[in-house]
Amino acid sequence: MHKRAPTIVAVLTPLAYIARRWTPSPRTLQLAALIAVLASVLIVVTGGAVRLTGSGLGCDTWPKCTDNSLIATPAQGIHGAIEFSNRMLTYVICAAVGWAIIAARCAKPRRTGLTRLAWSQFWLVMGNAVLGGITVKAGLNPWTVAGHLLLAVGLLTVTTLTWLRTREGDGPPRPRVPRPVHKLAWAIVLTTGVLMVAGTVVTGTGPHAGDSSDVPRMPFKWADTVLVHEVFAWIVCALAVAMWLVLRAVDAPRDTRVISRNLLLILLAQGAVGYAQYLTDLPEVVVGIHMLGLTLVWIGVLRMFVCLRERPEITPDIPAQANQQGQSGQSDQPVSAAV
C-alpha cells in the first residue's frame, strides 16, 4: 500500500496575507506614497530646526535621551524636548513608509519594482536613525551632520520616485522628448546634487553648529564655501532656463513645459531666500525656510526628470490571460512556497 505524499502547507508572509484580502485603489496607492513624501520633507525641516535652535545635543546620548532616561527630562529643558520630539518623528515616518510598503505590495497586478522602491524607504529610515545616533555620539561632528542630511535627502529621493511611479504603469519607458533633452535633464539632476552637497559644506563651516557648546567646524573658510555654493546655484538656474526654452522649442508636451516652468520659479524663490539669509547674517527662521526650499527644489528636479518619459500600463495580449491575472491575487488555492 502506497504512502500518501505529505501535503505542503502554504506559508504566507504578513504582507502576502494582507494582499490576498485587500487591493488598494490607484488613488489610495498614490496617497500612501505622497504621505511618505510629505513625511520625508518634514524630517528634513524638523532636523534643521533642531540644529537651528541649538538642540542637537539636547539628548546627550543615543538611543536613550540620557544615560538614565529613555525620554527627555525636565533638567534638559527646551533643547531636550526639541531633540526628543525630533527622534519621535522617526516613528511617524516609519508609519508613513509602512503604509506605502503595504499599499505597493497589495496593488493588483503585483508591481515588484514599485514594492522594492517602497522597501528601500524603510532601510533608508533605519540607516538614517543609526547615523543620527552616531552624530550625537560624535558630538555633532560636521561631517556626520552633513551625512545625516544627505541621507535624509536620499530618503526624499526614493519617496518622491515611488510617488511618481504610482502615477504611471510598469511598461518599458518611452521618451517624450528628443535624446539631447534627456542629457540636459541629467545635467540638471547631477548639478543640483552637487549644489546640495556644497550646501552641507556651507552649513558645516557656518555659525549654526547645532549646539551652544564648542562644536568643531569643517576646515574651510565660510566665505569660500558660500561662493562655491553660489556658483553652482547659478549653474542650476541657467540649466533650468535652458530646459524651459528647449522644451518650448521642441514643442514638448504641455505638462513637461509646466513642470519645467514651476521648477524655474522654485529655483528663483530659493535663490532669493538664499541671498536674504546671507545678507541678514543667517537668521534661524530664514535658514529654516531655505531648508524647506531645498526639499521643494529637489522634488521639482525629480518631477522634471521623470516627466520626460512615460511608462504605459502592461496589458496581456490575450484577454483570457488578463482575466487570469486579475483573479490571481484573490485565489484561495494553496501554494508550495512562501510568498
Side-chain angles (χ1 to χ4, degrees):
M1 186 174 181
H2 296 288
K3 292 183 178 180
R4 184 177 180 181
T7 303
I8 299 177
V9 180
V11 179
L12 296 177
T13 65
L15 288 180
Y17 181 85
I18 297 173
R20 282 195 166 193
R21 288 157 177 79
W22 179 61
T23 300
S25 66
R27 183 176 180 180
T28 299
L29 179 60
Q30 293 172 21
L31 179 61
L34 179 59
I35 288 178
V37 174
L38 297 177
S40 302
V41 172
L42 181 65
I43 208 71
V44 171
V45 175
T46 55
V50 170
R51 178 174 58 82
L52 293 169
T53 57
S55 304
L57 295 178
C59 290
D60 50 23
T61 189
W62 186 88
K64 293 183 177 181
C65 200
T66 70
D67 290 334
N68 301 317
S69 176
L70 182 64
I71 64 175
T73 63
Q76 292 172 299
I78 186 63
H79 294 307
I82 292 174
E83 166 65 3
F84 184 72
S85 297
N86 182 251
R87 292 186 183 188
M88 291 299 97
L89 281 176
T90 301
Y91 296 100
V92 175
I93 196 168
C94 281
V97 167
W99 186 25
I101 292 172
I102 293 172
R105 173 61 182 85
C106 295
K108 307 292 189 308
R110 185 169 178 177
R111 303 183 63 177
T112 304
L114 183 64
T115 304
R116 288 173 179 170
L117 265 178
W119 266 111
S120 64
Q121 300 175 24
F122 172 78
W123 298 116
L124 283 168
V125 171
M126 294 298 100
N128 212 14
V130 173
L131 184 55
I134 294 173
T135 300
V136 172
K137 293 282 190 179
L140 300 186
N141 182 287
W143 299 100
T144 60
V145 172
H148 194 43
L149 173 59
L150 291 176
L151 203 55
V153 173
L155 174 64
L156 177 62
T157 303
V158 177
T159 55
T160 301
L161 291 177
T162 304
W163 170 56
L164 295 174
R165 287 286 286 112
T166 62
R167 304 170 69 185
E168 57 186 7
D170 290 319
R174 298 187 301 216
R176 305 176 70 198
V177 294
R179 185 178 180 84
V181 181
H182 283 274
K183 293 182 178 180
L184 178 58
W186 269 113
I188 294 176
V189 170
L190 295 176
T191 309
T192 305
V194 174
L195 174 65
M196 289 188 293
V197 172
T200 65
V201 177
V202 173
T203 298
T205 57
H208 294 300
D211 189 72
S212 56
S213 61
D214 186 17
V215 175
R217 316 305 293 139
M218 291 182 180
F220 309 113
K221 291 183 178 180
W222 182 70
D224 294 340
T225 63
V226 170
L227 178 60
V228 172
H229 184 65
E230 181 183 14
V231 169
F232 276 101
W234 278 110
I235 292 174
V236 172
C237 285
L239 291 174
V241 170
M243 174 63 77
W244 179 62
L245 294 175
V246 166
L247 290 176
R248 293 172 64 88
V250 300
D251 196 23
R254 184 178 183 277
D255 64 309
T256 63
R257 288 181 277 127
V258 170
I259 291 174
S260 177
R261 179 203 63 195
N262 292 344
L263 172 60
L264 182 56
L265 294 175
I266 294 172
L267 284 169
L268 293 176
Q270 177 74 337
V273 174
Y275 277 112
Q277 67 176 0
Y278 176 76
L279 296 174
T280 55
D281 295 327
L282 303 178
E284 287 80 1
V285 173
V286 181
V287 176
I289 295 174
H290 196 60
M291 293 199 69
L292 173 62
L294 177 155
T295 64
L296 299 180
V297 166
W298 190 231
I299 291 172
V301 167
L302 294 175
R303 288 191 68 202
M304 179 274 303
F305 183 79
V306 171
C307 79
L308 300 181
R309 57 104 170 107
E310 61 184 357
R311 297 175 69 106
E313 298 283 350
I314 296 179
T315 54
D317 295 331
I318 303 176
Q321 291 180 349
N323 184 53
Q324 182 180 5
Q325 183 181 23
Q327 297 176 352
S328 61
Q330 302 175 358
S331 174
D332 289 326
Q333 297 299 321
V335 295
S336 60
V339 178

